[in-house]
Amino acid sequence: MPRLAYITFDRVPAPKGASTHIEAFARGLASEWSAIDLVTVGEPSPDPIERWPGVIHWELPALGPTLIDRALCFGRALSHWLAPRDFEIVQFRSIFEGLPILRNRKHAALIFEVNGLPSIELKYRYPGCEDDRELMGKIIAQERACVSAAARIVTPSAVTRDFLIRSRGANPEQIEVIPNGVDTALFRPRNPIENEGSLVYFGTLSTWQGVDLAIRAAARVNVPLKIYGTGGRGRREALERLSAKLAAQVTLHPPIAQEELAEQLSHASVILAPLVWNDRNALQGCCPLKVLEGLASGRPVISSNLEVVRQLATHEEHLLLAKPGSVDGIVDAIERL
């Protein structure tokens, strides 16, 4: 069998949807190739571990005060790691590992797994960076270089596929859409839905997720809201201030493991996924894992009327859709349920 490396500028395992996605991909690839090398951010060690059956996990450093510093550190370590090794296939997830791979590709066929693009998403983490035309120009050029070099592109959303064709010059015949999946044995209906229970949001606290809308809606209907999410300290503090201002019954919890999350969802009355309308969700696209896991849990789900959600489920049949950015729409749906 050909040697395959799966390389990502992410920490794995981690309590994030990206980690869940990476684990599923790694396990699936290993089952087809008997063994693969998984390379991620982490604490470097001279010896890898077998993270999952057939998945040989290497961790490389990504140190520094800024994202660019960490990406450069990881890129140098990755170039050093790749130098003595030969792979027939290399799959990667972003430009941050993609560029070092392009420089050290040898004869490997490249698979570019596109879940998101920094040219779209960075500004939500670092406001103002989109005004740096030189920086954004370089990032877009690097995205195009990775798209051009890839023998195949995989993405979880048809919206993302269309964006890559339209804006990054991808060849339609080289793109495969592989939607996110959910472990239906873990996320399954368990407990009867309580009439007076709680609202639940889980996932990152990024602005594109609409967590502030969930808080405002919870305050309007006076129903407790539990938030399980990961995000920077500034973002978490901003959401805590909003909750205190509205006197909302909101509790912010750190991210939790999949097994514990499944248990918490089984006691929720309603799961909220109020994605906002912006270029990240509506133009670039995504495949919201929280919607899939919420549906699999057998709980009512309220989400936003966006194409990326409509591709997964049908309004009035599988979930309720509200106008993106509308607190009134979320409130109406909660009260109806």
Side-chain angles (χ1 to χ4, degrees), residues 4 24 62 132 150 186 204 226 256 268 336-337:
L4 184 147
D132 189 331
L186 178 61
T204 68
K226 297 179 181 179
I256 52 181
R336 177 179 171 190
L337 289 169

Side-chain angles (χ1 to χ4, degrees), residues 145-221:
C146 289
V147 166
S148 176
R152 297 288 289 178
I153 298 171
V154 294
T155 182
S157 170
V159 174
T160 308
R161 175 198 60 198
D162 295 344
F163 180 82
L164 291 171
I165 295 169
R166 184 175 64 252
S167 300
R168 296 297 181 268
N171 181 347
E173 297 181 356
Q174 293 179 297
I175 300 181
E176 183 81 13
V177 176
I178 305 176
N180 282 332
V182 58
D183 184 346
T184 53
L186 178 61
F187 292 91
R188 66 186 191 278
R190 303 184 187 188
N191 303 306
I193 298 175
E194 301 173 3
N195 290 331
E196 296 183 3
S198 63
L199 311 173
V200 170
Y201 168 86
F202 63 97
T204 68
L205 304 181
S206 303
T207 55
W208 65 64
Q209 300 283 13
V211 187
D212 56 322
L213 302 173
I215 293 173
R216 294 180 183 278
R220 289 264 300 274
V221 297

